[in-house]
Amino acid sequence: MTKEVEAFESVDAVSDSRKGKLACTPNRVVYVQGENVIDISLNGINSIEFSAPSYPKSFLYWGGGFGVLAFLTGVAEFVGDSSIPDLMLAIVFFGLISLAILVAGQFLKRSTIKFRTPNTTYTFASTDRAIQDIAHAVRGHE
């Protein structure tokens, strides 16, 4: 029995052009994205990790980083007791970027599945809850 789901090879992918198909056949797990193909024998998979949808950590780090820049720029503005318009503009700029990144991450919550083989770990992410079916199909093969 074949299970199939749309997935990303990168947990942080944002473009639909990076989306591919992840499928589990009776003998293999195959990911096809454009002309790129990852083909994993079910016999070569040592372990599977499935994670429920979660906030992407890289968005948290980047959003937090820009938030810290906004805070430090604000501290420099008030400690220096200057009213330089460029610093105020920088505070607003960094603050808005931080907020935009943090909000964007909220829309990119995805489930992930990792297949560990002796040589490589393959990670795939999807907003489709059917990615669980891929994990169950691989476990069913065992």
Side-chain angles (χ1 to χ4, degrees):
M1 180 174 195
T2 301
K3 300 286 183 184
E4 186 177 295
V5 67
E6 286 190 336
F8 295 92
E9 187 181 357
S10 169
V11 177
D12 297 325
V14 292
S15 168
D16 279 348
S17 66
R18 307 252 336 247
K19 192 182 288 186
K21 293 278 186 188
L22 179 65
C24 181
T25 69
N27 299 316
R28 313 194 77 69
V29 172
V30 180
Y31 177 74
V32 179
Q33 188 259 327
E35 294 181 13
N36 300 323
V37 177
I38 296 173
D39 188 357
I40 310 165
S41 170
L42 292 182
N43 295 328
I45 297 175
N46 293 340
S47 67
I48 306 163
E49 281 181 39
F50 174 79
S51 298
S54 62
Y55 191 89
K57 289 181 178 76
S58 64
F59 281 76
L60 183 63
Y61 299 148
W62 280 102
F66 277 102
V68 167
L69 280 174
F71 176 76
L72 292 176
T73 306
V75 168
E77 167 71 16
F78 295 112
V79 168
D81 198 28
S82 64
S83 59
I84 302 172
D86 290 344
L87 281 180
M88 291 304 282
L89 185 61
I91 294 168
V92 171
F93 178 73
F94 289 138
L96 289 176
I97 287 177
S98 174
L99 184 63
I101 291 171
L102 292 171
V103 169
Q106 189 65 25
F107 292 105
L108 294 176
K109 285 185 174 180
R110 296 184 177 132
S111 299
T112 59
I113 188 169
K114 291 182 182 182
F115 299 105
R116 296 188 192 279
T117 66
N119 299 326
T120 309
T121 298
Y122 300 95
T123 303
F124 302 99
S126 180
T127 55
D128 189 344
R129 286 240 187 230
I131 196 168
Q132 295 178 59
D133 295 340
I134 301 288
H136 293 306
V138 172
R139 286 187 193 107
H141 171 51
E142 296 174 342

